[in-house]
Amino acid sequence: MKEEREGVWLRGNLHMHTKRSDGRLPFEEAVALYEDAGYDFIAVTDHWVVSENGQTPGGMLLLSGCEYNVGEHVREGVYHIVGVGMEREPALSRSQPGLAPQGIVDAIHEAGGLAILAHPAWSLNSAEAVSRLAGLDGTEIYNTTSGFPMNARPYSGLFVDQLASMGVLLPCMAADDAHHYQADVFGGYLMVHARRRSREAILAAIREGSFYATQGPRVSLTVEDGVARVSCSPASHVVFYSDSIWNAQRVSSGEGITQAACRLLPQETFVRAEVIDAQGRTAYTSPVRVPVKAP
């Protein structure tokens, strides 16, 4: 997350489904569930059905959303791409001949939205293949529905690190991808630091990287003079991930940790951090490029 500025912290979920596609709840009930849980914004992202921008009577912001998918087999590539914040419906059709992931990303952008790669670990996405996509605005590092008891690949940290090692640093997001509205709700979300509580400010903050992904803990990462530093809510473990296979300061463990530091090695080109609290919940920063020291 970038350096904090004046503004407000807002909690949101950018991936969920209703009976408009393959979710178990009607649209209105799903929205009300998140509003009752105290969320500030959500995007309902039914498959191939675009939801509209709006606001509930209680004040929760609704960002337009849709999930687009192509590919049937992992050998050819399965890509689920979530579009959020579109100003108009993207020019996309499920039956569109030759539709490819790049075409989905481009159409979302042309409609003014963000294009987010959904559950890459669940989809068995290849970092090499995704590195050839231009313009992705982020990727889910954690997806609640992809975990127990529904599935078994909720975490995409390895994918994020492999991609970053290739020089592609995608912002990391967490989302529920709720379908059943049982164990798949409120498990992963974004905390966005926006200048004000509005749709435009939320989208601007996400584009600027002013957010972090979490299951509950708070986290902030800075890199200065070759040292990565984390500030966080009380944690049991702080882990610094990079493109080095070994760093003696990578892990800090204890009780109630709120600060941790890791001196980066000369070969490390990126770093990100994860914070794990006493309940096993994790917060995730996005990977940041390590500044190259002047000779």
Side-chain angles (χ1 to χ4, degrees), residues 11 29 33 49-50 69 73 82 97 151 169 171 174 203 216 218 283:
R11 179 185 183 186
E29 290 185 27
L33 196 67
V49 180
V50 179
N69 56 284
H73 306 287
V82 172
N151 288 287
L169 278 62
L203 293 173
R218 301 188 304 273

Side-chain angles (χ1 to χ4, degrees), residues 36-252:
D36 291 345
Y39 280 65
D40 299 292
F41 66 94
I42 62 170
V44 177
T45 55
D46 282 302
H47 293 276
W48 296 95
V49 180
V50 179
S51 66
E52 296 181 352
N53 294 304
Q55 185 171 329
T56 68
M60 184 174 69
L61 297 171
L62 304 177
L63 309 185
S64 64
C66 185
E67 182 174 7
Y68 303 96
N69 56 284
V70 291
E72 297 294 331
H73 306 287
V74 296
R75 292 184 299 277
E76 66 184 30
V78 174
Y79 297 90
H80 288 228
I81 298 172
V82 172
V84 172
M86 289 83 68
E87 299 166 1
R88 56 191 176 279
E89 187 164 340
L92 291 167
S93 169
R94 191 194 299 262
S95 59
Q96 191 172 326
L99 183 61
Q102 189 64 62
I104 294 174
V105 173
D106 293 344
I108 291 171
H109 285 165
E110 287 169 4
L114 301 170
I116 302 164
L117 182 66
H119 44 63
W122 183 84
S123 299
L124 290 179
N125 288 136
S126 155
E128 182 179 0
V130 172
S131 71
R132 296 193 288 270
L133 289 178
L136 279 172
D137 297 293
T139 182
E140 291 175 355
I141 192 169
Y142 181 82
N143 178 289
T144 306
T145 289
S146 295
F148 294 123
M150 292 72 61
N151 288 287
R153 292 195 187 103
Y155 175 65
S156 297
L158 176 61
F159 168 85
V160 169
D161 293 342
Q162 289 174 328
L163 204 58
S165 296
M166 300 175 186
V168 181
L169 278 62
L170 287 184
C172 291
M173 303 182 175
D176 279 338
D177 192 6
H179 287 72
H180 302 279
Y181 293 90
Q182 295 174 356
D184 56 344
V185 292
F186 317 142
Y189 51 93
L190 289 187
M191 290 299 300
V192 176
H193 195 248
R195 288 187 171 86
R196 58 188 178 280
R197 196 177 187 278
S198 72
R199 168 187 169 273
E200 294 77 15
I202 291 168
L203 293 173
I206 293 174
R207 288 188 170 101
E208 293 167 8
S210 294
F211 68 89
Y212 62 90
T214 187
Q215 296 174 282
R218 301 188 304 273
V219 64
S220 178
L221 171 68
T222 59
V223 180
E224 187 176 2
D225 296 329
V227 178
R229 301 183 188 277
V230 157
S231 298
C232 58
S233 52
S236 298
H237 308 282
V238 176
V239 186
F240 295 89
Y241 290 87
S242 71
D243 51 349
S244 174
I245 60 175
W246 169 255
N247 186 317
Q249 298 180 342
R250 186 181 303 284
V251 180
S252 295

